[in-house]
Amino acid sequence: MRWAEILVEVQAESCEAVTAILLEIGCKGVAQKLEPIAANGQWPVAEPHVPAARMPKPHEVTLLTGYLPVSDELGPAVDIARERLSRLAEYGLSAPESVTLRTVEDADWATEWKKHFKPLRIGKRLVIKPTWETWESAPGDVVVEIDPGMAFGTGGHGTTRLCLLLLDELVQPGWTVADIGTGSGILSLAAARLGASKVHATDIDLLPRKVSRQNVGASGLDSVVTVHEMADFDAAAVECNLVVANIIADAIIEIAPSVLPRLLPGGIFVSSGIIDDRVDDVVCALMSTGFQVVDVREDEAWRAVVARKPIVAD
Amino acid sequence: MAKKITAVVKLQINAGKATPAPPVGSTLGPYGINMMEFIKGYNEKTAAQVGSIIPVEITIYEDRTFTFVTKTPPAADLIKKAAGIAAGSGTPNTTKVGKLTSAQVRAIAETKMPDLNANDLEAAMRIIAGTARSMGVTIEA
């Protein structure tokens, strides 16, 4: 798909009005680059979450960029935007200094970050290797090869890292593992490489199911990892030693009652993708479902909860 | 751990519905950060506000990691809510669709003050009133 960028140079006092106009004509969002707070105009070395940028002052000129898909409706939409932008002075604001239209190709940014995705060691044994990179394994390395495409799961994110470290600690040879919200398939592949004899994976979205199947096939693990359609997963993923779900807090809370019967007595549920201020909600939901919560791991703002199905029901 | 900042960008996008399409991909892709990581984090953080535009300020570091904070809703959303309208006017010079009192303008200006970087509340109110008029919303004294 091709996209059109509408670049509007305008005094900052009109940013809110310009943004509203761009969104009203159908832009999927508006981007603005901010300036450093520092008087020298340089970006500083800073601790995460320490404010380093400032909004422009009302009469400073700033650049807003809106994006519209290129279609037959583009020309009329841009005409409407230009006409409305030119009238801003009538409402006590500044009219834009310039309005420029240019087209950009979708593929440019979809793959740009891959250039920077390098092999990544997680813990002592696991190595996450993009398919397009090379890696010389050391003895004991467990190499997981993936091409995440547009699916979530590169190993670089705290939620995925937490799951990988826990799988490395917990998975025993011969185990049956289920992976809910598999994304790129990274956790399923890691479980298989760590010795699981059967891994059942699924994802609510079609794209990750497709991407994870490709990664399973490329890794030669088709006999161990099966990426199921949602409906098939329910029947297949039973008598599991471990279930991992790297999704979000609300989804974990929702699926917890259905995870418990999938596990063998003493089986483990690793849930991740939980932002710090939701971890108590997840822990409460797991406990009320009948799990024993045995550990909570942290990685920056993210949390992973390790829960166990009681060996003997209360 | 302190890290060198490469850029700070502000995106105004739909809460809970971020995708790799523009402006997310086009803005973050060139910095080499994994946009899917941002998308997951943003959608999780804003899941309860689906249907609204929730601005987000993303700080990108030279090691291609990033942090983000969500900001106050756009002035247009606050204006529509205060005026009780679903949308602004497509022809605000001729068709008026709602009105705000100056007290409502003041309240919105106070909410938006951190993002407007105005020198004082009067200046912020002028920006909010102008934005409202550009949407076909009149201001009552």
Side-chain angles (χ1 to χ4, degrees):
Chain A
M1 179 186 287
R2 295 175 73 217
W3 291 81
E5 278 183 339
I6 306 174
L7 301 107
V8 183
E9 272 190 306
V10 69
Q11 289 189 23
E13 66 175 8
S14 299
C15 280
E16 295 285 341
V18 171
T19 298
I21 291 168
L22 292 176
L23 293 173
E24 277 178 29
I25 64 161
C27 285
K28 302 301 179 190
V30 176
Q32 179 184 18
K33 286 184 185 176
L34 303 184
E35 298 296 324
I37 291 173
N40 64 4
Q42 301 293 310
W43 290 111
V45 174
E47 294 285 341
H49 302 295
V50 173
R54 63 176 181 82
M55 297 304 295
K57 302 296 284 182
H59 292 295
E60 273 183 85
V61 174
T62 187
L63 177 67
L64 297 174
T65 309
Y67 294 86
L68 277 172
V70 173
S71 70
D72 293 343
E73 292 157 22
L74 175 63
V78 172
D79 288 344
I80 290 169
R82 285 185 191 277
E83 198 275 334
R84 290 192 57 187
L85 291 168
S86 70
R87 289 181 172 273
L88 286 179
E90 295 174 23
Y91 310 119
L93 299 171
S94 306
E97 308 212 344
S98 70
V99 180
T100 312
L101 188 69
R102 69 183 185 197
T103 54
V104 286
E105 297 298 330
D106 194 41
D108 292 343
W109 55 77
T111 56
E112 182 68 26
W113 67 274
K114 277 190 175 182
K115 296 175 187 169
H116 312 287
F117 180 23
K118 301 294 180 189
L120 184 67
R121 184 175 284 282
I122 307 277
K124 288 183 182 168
R125 291 194 295 168
L126 282 169
V127 176
I128 309 303
K129 183 183 91 62
T131 50
W132 59 89
E133 291 283 334
T134 56
W135 174 263
E136 287 199 22
S137 292
D141 278 358
V142 176
V143 180
V144 176
E145 199 171 71
I146 59 162
D147 178 351
M150 296 297 247
F152 183 77
T154 63
H157 194 274
T159 63
T160 313
R161 205 159 45 228
L162 285 165
C163 288
L164 288 167
L165 287 168
L166 285 163
L167 290 178
D168 190 9
E169 283 179 36
L170 298 167
V171 172
Q172 301 296 314
W175 273 19
T176 296
V177 172
D179 175 12
I180 302 172
T182 191
S184 65
I186 186 171
L187 301 180
S188 290
L189 295 172
R193 291 288 186 216
L194 289 164
S197 59
K198 189 65 208 171
V199 182
H200 300 283
T202 193
D203 200 290
I204 197 167
D205 291 328
L206 177 63
L207 176 68
R209 291 202 298 271
K210 182 180 167 192
V211 170
S212 55
R213 281 187 187 118
Q214 287 169 346
N215 282 321
V216 170
S219 298
L221 287 168
D222 308 73
S223 62
V224 180
V225 181
T226 306
V227 181
H228 298 276
E229 299 298 306
M230 291 285 283
D232 302 332
F233 177 83
D234 275 342
V238 294
E239 298 189 339
C240 297
N241 301 94
L242 184 147
V243 174
V244 61
N246 183 21
I247 36 183
I248 61 173
D250 286 338
I252 292 163
I253 291 167
E254 185 181 330
I255 67 168
S258 69
V259 170
L260 193 68
R262 295 191 191 288
L263 287 165
L264 292 166
I268 299 162
F269 181 25
V270 173
S271 56
S272 187
I274 305 159
I275 210 148
D276 50 4
D277 60 5
R278 296 299 311 279
V279 69
D280 290 344
D281 297 338
V282 173
V283 167
C284 287
L286 290 171
M287 290 174 71
S288 66
T289 301
F291 282 102
Q292 296 166 339
V293 173
V294 295
D295 200 1
V296 176
R297 299 286 176 91
E298 301 180 8
D299 190 320
E300 296 182 343
W302 298 96
R303 302 289 180 272
V305 179
V306 183
R308 192 177 288 276
K309 180 176 180 174
I311 292 174
V312 179
D314 291 333
Chain B
M1 186 179 74
K3 293 183 277 194
K4 172 89 169 111
I5 293 172
T6 304
V8 180
V9 295
K10 182 180 179 184
L11 298 177
Q12 310 231 25
I13 49 179
N14 281 301
K17 303 269 188 183
T19 73
V24 175
S26 54
T27 306
L28 304 186
Y31 291 107
I33 72 170
N34 184 342
M35 72 187 83
M36 296 309 289
E37 293 182 13
F38 166 73
I39 288 167
K40 182 180 171 71
Y42 175 82
N43 286 345
E44 162 79 340
K45 188 104 180 168
T46 59
Q49 294 148 298
V50 169
S52 302
I53 298 284
I54 298 296
V56 57
E57 198 174 293
I58 306 146
T59 303
I60 301 156
Y61 300 92
E62 66 178 355
D63 65 353
R64 299 186 182 83
T65 59
F66 64 92
T67 57
F68 70 87
V69 289
T70 52
K71 311 295 278 187
T72 55
D77 279 17
L78 300 174
I79 290 165
K80 284 186 278 189
K81 193 174 174 188
I85 57 174
S89 171
T91 51
N93 52 323
T94 55
T95 308
K96 308 301 177 189
V97 293
K99 54 190 171 187
L100 292 180
T101 64
S102 55
Q104 287 174 307
V105 171
R106 174 180 289 270
I108 294 169
E110 285 172 347
T111 302
K112 289 294 297 179
M113 196 67 187
D115 295 339
L116 295 177
N117 203 7
N119 288 330
D120 52 44
L121 188 59
E122 294 302 314
M125 287 176 66
R126 193 178 60 76
I127 292 171
I128 299 301
T131 305
R133 290 190 199 100
S134 77
M135 300 164 62
V137 175
T138 56
I139 312 299
E140 291 183 333

PDB file of all heavy atoms in Angstrom, chain A residues 70-88:
ATOM      1  N   VAL A  70      -3.045   6.258  -0.265  1.00  0.00           N
ATOM      2  CA  VAL A  70      -3.221   6.815  -1.612  1.00  0.00           C
ATOM      3  C   VAL A  70      -4.422   6.118  -2.251  1.00  0.00           C
ATOM      4  O   VAL A  70      -4.437   4.885  -2.365  1.00  0.00           O
ATOM      5  CB  VAL A  70      -1.949   6.599  -2.464  1.00  0.00           C
ATOM      6  CG1 VAL A  70      -2.202   7.026  -3.908  1.00  0.00           C
ATOM      7  CG2 VAL A  70      -0.787   7.382  -1.866  1.00  0.00           C
ATOM      8  N   SER A  71      -5.419   6.909  -2.609  1.00  0.00           N
ATOM      9  CA  SER A  71      -6.627   6.363  -3.242  1.00  0.00           C
ATOM     10  C   SER A  71      -7.280   7.497  -4.026  1.00  0.00           C
ATOM     11  O   SER A  71      -6.783   8.630  -4.037  1.00  0.00           O
ATOM     12  CB  SER A  71      -7.604   5.845  -2.175  1.00  0.00           C
ATOM     13  OG  SER A  71      -8.163   6.942  -1.464  1.00  0.00           O
ATOM     14  N   ASP A  72      -8.412   7.179  -4.647  1.00  0.00           N
ATOM     15  CA  ASP A  72      -9.136   8.201  -5.405  1.00  0.00           C
ATOM     16  C   ASP A  72      -9.638   9.318  -4.488  1.00  0.00           C
ATOM     17  O   ASP A  72      -9.913  10.425  -4.947  1.00  0.00           O
ATOM     18  CB  ASP A  72     -10.337   7.575  -6.131  1.00  0.00           C
ATOM     19  CG  ASP A  72      -9.887   6.615  -7.221  1.00  0.00           C
ATOM     20  OD1 ASP A  72      -8.698   6.704  -7.615  1.00  0.00           O
ATOM     21  OD2 ASP A  72     -10.700   5.782  -7.646  1.00  0.00           O
ATOM     22  N   GLU A  73      -9.770   9.000  -3.203  1.00  0.00           N
ATOM     23  CA  GLU A  73     -10.304   9.996  -2.266  1.00  0.00           C
ATOM     24  C   GLU A  73      -9.225  10.937  -1.735  1.00  0.00           C
ATOM     25  O   GLU A  73      -9.525  11.889  -1.014  1.00  0.00           O
ATOM     26  CB  GLU A  73     -10.972   9.277  -1.091  1.00  0.00           C
ATOM     27  CG  GLU A  73     -12.230   8.542  -1.498  1.00  0.00           C
ATOM     28  CD  GLU A  73     -12.588   7.410  -0.548  1.00  0.00           C
ATOM     29  OE1 GLU A  73     -12.133   7.454   0.601  1.00  0.00           O
ATOM     30  OE2 GLU A  73     -13.312   6.508  -0.978  1.00  0.00           O
ATOM     31  N   LEU A  74      -7.965  10.657  -2.073  1.00  0.00           N
ATOM     32  CA  LEU A  74      -6.877  11.452  -1.509  1.00  0.00           C
ATOM     33  C   LEU A  74      -6.967  12.923  -1.929  1.00  0.00           C
ATOM     34  O   LEU A  74      -6.898  13.821  -1.091  1.00  0.00           O
ATOM     35  CB  LEU A  74      -5.528  10.867  -1.929  1.00  0.00           C
ATOM     36  CG  LEU A  74      -4.283  11.656  -1.506  1.00  0.00           C
ATOM     37  CD1 LEU A  74      -4.177  11.707   0.014  1.00  0.00           C
ATOM     38  CD2 LEU A  74      -3.021  11.031  -2.108  1.00  0.00           C
ATOM     39  N   GLY A  75      -7.123  13.159  -3.239  1.00  0.00           N
ATOM     40  CA  GLY A  75      -7.132  14.537  -3.746  1.00  0.00           C
ATOM     41  C   GLY A  75      -8.218  15.385  -3.095  1.00  0.00           C
ATOM     42  O   GLY A  75      -7.916  16.457  -2.534  1.00  0.00           O
ATOM     43  N   PRO A  76      -9.479  14.927  -3.121  1.00  0.00           N
ATOM     44  CA  PRO A  76     -10.541  15.715  -2.471  1.00  0.00           C
ATOM     45  C   PRO A  76     -10.279  15.936  -0.977  1.00  0.00           C
ATOM     46  O   PRO A  76     -10.552  17.020  -0.450  1.00  0.00           O
ATOM     47  CB  PRO A  76     -11.800  14.859  -2.682  1.00  0.00           C
ATOM     48  CG  PRO A  76     -11.511  14.040  -3.897  1.00  0.00           C
ATOM     49  CD  PRO A  76     -10.036  13.779  -3.870  1.00  0.00           C
ATOM     50  N   ALA A  77      -9.753  14.914  -0.298  1.00  0.00           N
ATOM     51  CA  ALA A  77      -9.503  15.053   1.150  1.00  0.00           C
ATOM     52  C   ALA A  77      -8.441  16.118   1.406  1.00  0.00           C
ATOM     53  O   ALA A  77      -8.575  16.946   2.328  1.00  0.00           O
ATOM     54  CB  ALA A  77      -9.066  13.713   1.734  1.00  0.00           C
ATOM     55  N   VAL A  78      -7.398  16.114   0.585  1.00  0.00           N
ATOM     56  CA  VAL A  78      -6.325  17.099   0.771  1.00  0.00           C
ATOM     57  C   VAL A  78      -6.841  18.502   0.439  1.00  0.00           C
ATOM     58  O   VAL A  78      -6.484  19.485   1.112  1.00  0.00           O
ATOM     59  CB  VAL A  78      -5.096  16.735  -0.091  1.00  0.00           C
ATOM     60  CG1 VAL A  78      -4.049  17.850  -0.050  1.00  0.00           C
ATOM     61  CG2 VAL A  78      -4.489  15.424   0.400  1.00  0.00           C
ATOM     62  N   ASP A  79      -7.698  18.598  -0.577  1.00  0.00           N
ATOM     63  CA  ASP A  79      -8.280  19.910  -0.919  1.00  0.00           C
ATOM     64  C   ASP A  79      -9.073  20.466   0.269  1.00  0.00           C
ATOM     65  O   ASP A  79      -8.991  21.661   0.579  1.00  0.00           O
ATOM     66  CB  ASP A  79      -9.195  19.785  -2.147  1.00  0.00           C
ATOM     67  CG  ASP A  79      -8.404  19.573  -3.427  1.00  0.00           C
ATOM     68  OD1 ASP A  79      -7.177  19.819  -3.400  1.00  0.00           O
ATOM     69  OD2 ASP A  79      -9.002  19.130  -4.425  1.00  0.00           O
ATOM     70  N   ILE A  80      -9.854  19.589   0.905  1.00  0.00           N
ATOM     71  CA  ILE A  80     -10.637  20.018   2.077  1.00  0.00           C
ATOM     72  C   ILE A  80      -9.696  20.490   3.185  1.00  0.00           C
ATOM     73  O   ILE A  80      -9.907  21.537   3.812  1.00  0.00           O
ATOM     74  CB  ILE A  80     -11.541  18.858   2.579  1.00  0.00           C
ATOM     75  CG1 ILE A  80     -12.658  18.585   1.579  1.00  0.00           C
ATOM     76  CG2 ILE A  80     -12.127  19.189   3.957  1.00  0.00           C
ATOM     77  CD1 ILE A  80     -13.425  17.295   1.847  1.00  0.00           C
ATOM     78  N   ALA A  81      -8.637  19.714   3.407  1.00  0.00           N
ATOM     79  CA  ALA A  81      -7.686  20.081   4.468  1.00  0.00           C
ATOM     80  C   ALA A  81      -7.048  21.434   4.167  1.00  0.00           C
ATOM     81  O   ALA A  81      -6.960  22.305   5.050  1.00  0.00           O
ATOM     82  CB  ALA A  81      -6.617  19.006   4.604  1.00  0.00           C
ATOM     83  N   ARG A  82      -6.607  21.628   2.939  1.00  0.00           N
ATOM     84  CA  ARG A  82      -5.956  22.907   2.581  1.00  0.00           C
ATOM     85  C   ARG A  82      -6.913  24.078   2.801  1.00  0.00           C
ATOM     86  O   ARG A  82      -6.526  25.123   3.318  1.00  0.00           O
ATOM     87  CB  ARG A  82      -5.517  22.882   1.101  1.00  0.00           C
ATOM     88  CG  ARG A  82      -4.287  22.047   0.828  1.00  0.00           C
ATOM     89  CD  ARG A  82      -3.896  22.221  -0.659  1.00  0.00           C
ATOM     90  NE  ARG A  82      -2.903  21.280  -1.086  1.00  0.00           N
ATOM     91  CZ  ARG A  82      -1.578  21.413  -0.902  1.00  0.00           C
ATOM     92  NH1 ARG A  82      -1.128  22.487  -0.286  1.00  0.00           N
ATOM     93  NH2 ARG A  82      -0.741  20.501  -1.333  1.00  0.00           N
ATOM     94  N   GLU A  83      -8.157  23.895   2.397  1.00  0.00           N
ATOM     95  CA  GLU A  83      -9.130  24.981   2.520  1.00  0.00           C
ATOM     96  C   GLU A  83      -9.371  25.315   3.997  1.00  0.00           C
ATOM     97  O   GLU A  83      -9.373  26.485   4.394  1.00  0.00           O
ATOM     98  CB  GLU A  83     -10.430  24.556   1.826  1.00  0.00           C
ATOM     99  CG  GLU A  83     -11.381  25.696   1.482  1.00  0.00           C
ATOM    100  CD  GLU A  83     -12.297  26.080   2.642  1.00  0.00           C
ATOM    101  OE1 GLU A  83     -12.572  25.229   3.512  1.00  0.00           O
ATOM    102  OE2 GLU A  83     -12.714  27.251   2.679  1.00  0.00           O
ATOM    103  N   ARG A  84      -9.512  24.258   4.803  1.00  0.00           N
ATOM    104  CA  ARG A  84      -9.787  24.502   6.237  1.00  0.00           C
ATOM    105  C   ARG A  84      -8.557  25.070   6.950  1.00  0.00           C
ATOM    106  O   ARG A  84      -8.686  25.925   7.835  1.00  0.00           O
ATOM    107  CB  ARG A  84     -10.269  23.211   6.896  1.00  0.00           C
ATOM    108  CG  ARG A  84     -11.680  22.826   6.424  1.00  0.00           C
ATOM    109  CD  ARG A  84     -12.278  21.733   7.254  1.00  0.00           C
ATOM    110  NE  ARG A  84     -12.329  22.085   8.674  1.00  0.00           N
ATOM    111  CZ  ARG A  84     -12.691  21.246   9.632  1.00  0.00           C
ATOM    112  NH1 ARG A  84     -13.021  20.011   9.315  1.00  0.00           N
ATOM    113  NH2 ARG A  84     -12.720  21.630  10.888  1.00  0.00           N
ATOM    114  N   LEU A  85      -7.396  24.586   6.561  1.00  0.00           N
ATOM    115  CA  LEU A  85      -6.167  25.095   7.194  1.00  0.00           C
ATOM    116  C   LEU A  85      -5.965  26.579   6.867  1.00  0.00           C
ATOM    117  O   LEU A  85      -5.525  27.365   7.707  1.00  0.00           O
ATOM    118  CB  LEU A  85      -4.953  24.286   6.725  1.00  0.00           C
ATOM    119  CG  LEU A  85      -4.892  22.830   7.226  1.00  0.00           C
ATOM    120  CD1 LEU A  85      -3.827  22.036   6.463  1.00  0.00           C
ATOM    121  CD2 LEU A  85      -4.610  22.782   8.720  1.00  0.00           C
ATOM    122  N   SER A  86      -6.322  26.957   5.650  1.00  0.00           N
ATOM    123  CA  SER A  86      -6.105  28.354   5.235  1.00  0.00           C
ATOM    124  C   SER A  86      -6.998  29.317   6.014  1.00  0.00           C
ATOM    125  O   SER A  86      -6.746  30.519   6.051  1.00  0.00           O
ATOM    126  CB  SER A  86      -6.358  28.501   3.730  1.00  0.00           C
ATOM    127  OG  SER A  86      -7.747  28.349   3.469  1.00  0.00           O
ATOM    128  N   ARG A  87      -8.063  28.789   6.613  1.00  0.00           N
ATOM    129  CA  ARG A  87      -9.017  29.640   7.334  1.00  0.00           C
ATOM    130  C   ARG A  87      -8.702  29.784   8.826  1.00  0.00           C
ATOM    131  O   ARG A  87      -9.442  30.440   9.553  1.00  0.00           O
ATOM    132  CB  ARG A  87     -10.438  29.077   7.192  1.00  0.00           C
ATOM    133  CG  ARG A  87     -11.019  29.230   5.794  1.00  0.00           C
ATOM    134  CD  ARG A  87     -12.423  28.678   5.730  1.00  0.00           C
ATOM    135  NE  ARG A  87     -13.057  28.977   4.471  1.00  0.00           N
ATOM    136  CZ  ARG A  87     -13.722  30.102   4.213  1.00  0.00           C
ATOM    137  NH1 ARG A  87     -13.843  31.042   5.137  1.00  0.00           N
ATOM    138  NH2 ARG A  87     -14.276  30.292   3.035  1.00  0.00           N
ATOM    139  N   LEU A  88      -7.634  29.131   9.287  1.00  0.00           N
ATOM    140  CA  LEU A  88      -7.376  29.137  10.733  1.00  0.00           C
ATOM    141  C   LEU A  88      -7.222  30.549  11.302  1.00  0.00           C
ATOM    142  O   LEU A  88      -7.583  30.802  12.455  1.00  0.00           O
ATOM    143  CB  LEU A  88      -6.132  28.289  11.063  1.00  0.00           C
ATOM    144  CG  LEU A  88      -6.336  26.771  10.966  1.00  0.00           C
ATOM    145  CD1 LEU A  88      -5.034  26.044  11.289  1.00  0.00           C
ATOM    146  CD2 LEU A  88      -7.438  26.309  11.921  1.00  0.00           C
TER     147      LEU A  88
END
